[in-house]
């Protein structure tokens, strides 16, 4: 199938009450792992590439890889999405390369400035059929004992969300509800602000996105540490919390850290147990397969398995 916009994938997820993983890539191995999982699970997929990914691999290289593999598997609905585009120039680089979806992340600016930049991106993307995601609030873990004022300063304001969505015309929104990027998301219990999430969904009625959604799977983290790594204190979004978030309106679940941990855990294992190995394919191949397993497990939790 030719690449489609994320909106098409998410509108179906929203209508049917499930979520689709947006899995980040920087190289061929992660992309192949995502496709193997999608084929095995019969799941649609969103391939996410950040500005860092475009810098590392080249936007054209990312597009070519994704196009080549998706042409070979026409049954799988695939979107190629710019993750956290920070300005118009990054968005244009992605569009010119052939991306079918972009995120403009101006959430660190005041509301009006965020809205102004986001509108510019929507005006460019709408006629091209490219979908647009924006973010409100900051991606920061919130501890139990912080004041209401502190929470309000960091997390999405549902009243602002409705104004933002209707004035900007975005296709889906990432509301900050207490997650953060990386492997160390929560000091205490993994808690998200579901009341805020419910309100944003009720007021905006569009697909919502959970950034920083990795679960930091126990088996992969254990393997990472067993073979010399250090992830002490790592904590992700547990599966039951993820399922609840989906129940309240999350339709796109951003996942990068879980893939990184599992790939490198398996690389560590190979290097530690096969000390004379000099063929990178013997190291990266099993790591790629391990990432596929982790993604398959996640697709089942998100409810995207069997949705072709
Ligand atoms: N992302 C991934 C951001 C990756 O610059 P970069 O390539 O390192 O950016 O948008 C997520 O929300 C991932 O969340 P996770 O860390 O929980 O997997
Ligand atoms: Zn993110």
């Amino acid at each position: 199938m030719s690449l489609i916009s994320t909106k098409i994938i998410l509108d179906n997820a929203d209508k049917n009450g499930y979520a689709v993983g947006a899995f980040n890539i920087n190289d061929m191995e992660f992309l192949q792992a995502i496709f193997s999982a999608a084929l095995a699970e019969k799941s649609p997929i969103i391939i996410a590439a950040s500005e860092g990914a475009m810098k590392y691999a080249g936007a054209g290289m990312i597009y070519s890889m994704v196009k080549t593999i998706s042409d070979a598997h026409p049954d799988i609905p695939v979107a190629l999405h710019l993750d956290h585009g920070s300005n118009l120039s990054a968005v244009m680089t992605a569009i010119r390369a052939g991306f079918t979806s972009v995120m403009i992340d101006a959430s660190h600016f005041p509301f009006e400035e965020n809205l102004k930049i986001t509108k510019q991106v929507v005006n460019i993307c709408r006629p091209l059929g490219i979908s647009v995601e924006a973010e409100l609030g900051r991606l920061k873990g919130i501890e139990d004992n912080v004041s209401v004022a502190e929470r309000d300063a960091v997390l999405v304001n549902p009243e602002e969300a409705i104004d933002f969505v209707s004035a900007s015309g975005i296709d889906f929104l990432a509301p900050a509800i207490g997650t953060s990027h990386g492997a160390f998301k929560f000091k205490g219990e993994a808690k998200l602000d579901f009341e805020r999430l419910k309100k944003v969904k009720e007021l905006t009625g569009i697909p919502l996105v959970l950034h920083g959604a990795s679960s930091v799977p126990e088996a992969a983290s254990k393997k990472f540490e067993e073979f010399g790594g250090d992830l002490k204190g790592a904590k992700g979004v547990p599966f039951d919390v993820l399922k609840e978030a989906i129940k309240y309106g999350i339709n796109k679940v951003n996942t990068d850290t879980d893939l990184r941990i599992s790939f490198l855990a398996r690389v560590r294992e190979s290097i530690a147990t096969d000390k004379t190995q000099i063929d990178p394919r013997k190291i990266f191949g099993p790591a790629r397969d391990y990432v596929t397993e982790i993604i398959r497990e996640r697709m089942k939790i998100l409810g995207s398995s069997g949705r072709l």
Side-chain angles (χ1 to χ4, degrees):
M1 185 184 280
S2 56
L3 300 176
I4 58 176
S5 83
T6 302
K7 178 179 166 47
I8 297 173
I9 293 175
L10 293 189
D11 281 349
N12 192 52
D14 195 12
K15 202 168 82 195
N16 294 292
Y18 65 94
V20 177
F23 299 104
N24 287 76
I25 64 159
N26 293 275
D27 57 30
M28 182 189 74
E29 281 77 8
F30 278 38
L31 177 61
Q32 290 174 320
I34 299 163
F35 259 86
S36 298
L39 284 165
E41 291 299 320
K42 303 191 185 329
S43 168
I45 39 175
I46 299 160
I47 306 292
S50 67
E51 283 181 54
M54 294 199 298
K55 197 166 165 203
Y56 180 77
M61 173 72 89
I62 287 172
Y63 170 77
S64 300
M65 287 193 301
V66 175
K67 176 83 171 84
T68 301
I69 197 165
S70 68
D71 281 349
H73 301 291
D75 292 348
I76 309 282
V78 184
L80 175 55
H81 177 75
L82 171 65
D83 193 20
H84 293 284
S86 62
N87 54 43
L88 220 49
S89 152
V91 167
M92 289 313 298
T93 302
I95 291 175
R96 288 194 184 108
F99 284 43
T100 55
S101 178
V102 298
M103 174 188 193
I104 175 71
D105 182 2
S107 57
H108 48 287
F109 288 119
F111 180 88
E112 287 303 333
E113 185 67 10
N114 186 358
L115 179 59
K116 187 175 139 204
I117 298 168
T118 303
K119 266 180 168 173
Q120 286 173 343
V121 172
V122 172
N123 287 339
I124 294 166
C125 290
R126 180 61 47 81
L128 302 171
I130 292 170
S131 50
V132 180
E133 170 184 347
E135 179 166 310
L136 282 176
R138 311 294 297 274
L139 274 183
K140 252 176 134 183
I142 289 292
E143 291 173 33
D144 275 352
N145 53 0
V146 303
S147 68
V148 173
E150 280 173 282
R151 290 177 85 81
D152 283 348
V154 169
L155 301 183
V156 64
N157 173 339
E159 309 300 332
E160 277 187 0
I162 176 66
D163 293 343
F164 188 88
V165 167
S166 46
S168 65
I170 55 166
D171 299 295
F172 38 103
L173 173 72
I177 55 165
T179 55
S180 59
H181 287 155
F184 304 90
K185 300 184 192 298
F186 307 100
K187 289 219 177 72
E189 203 190 329
K191 257 192 169 169
L192 303 184
D193 195 329
F194 287 135
E195 288 317 307
R196 248 171 238 264
L197 172 60
K198 284 186 214 168
K199 224 166 184 183
V200 172
K201 188 72 177 192
E202 185 189 305
L203 292 172
T204 64
I206 63 171
L208 300 179
V209 181
L210 191 64
H211 279 255
S214 274
S215 298
V216 188
E218 204 180 322
S221 307
K222 263 196 179 153
K223 192 191 282 294
F224 192 93
E225 295 204 317
E226 189 186 337
F227 293 101
D230 185 358
L231 284 176
K232 299 268 179 306
K235 195 181 270 184
V237 182
F239 286 162
D240 57 332
V241 176
L242 213 45
K243 279 183 172 170
E244 216 174 335
I246 293 165
K247 191 167 89 192
Y248 299 138
I250 292 293
N251 303 110
K252 173 172 175 275
V253 170
N254 282 27
T255 308
D256 187 9
T257 296
D258 285 0
L259 279 50
R260 294 180 181 195
I261 292 175
S262 46
F263 188 84
L264 289 178
R266 194 62 185 81
V267 164
R268 282 180 177 279
E269 181 178 1
S270 295
I271 289 174
T273 54
D274 191 0
K275 291 194 190 303
T276 58
Q277 188 54 257
I278 58 159
D279 183 347
R281 294 170 298 188
K282 299 280 184 336
I283 310 279
F284 293 160
R288 181 178 61 189
D289 295 344
Y290 191 43
V291 173
T292 299
E293 272 177 48
I294 295 289
I295 296 175
R296 286 190 65 178
E297 181 185 34
R298 210 161 168 78
M299 286 170 165
K300 291 186 181 97
I301 298 293
L302 304 188
S304 70
S305 295
R307 301 283 184 172
L308 295 193

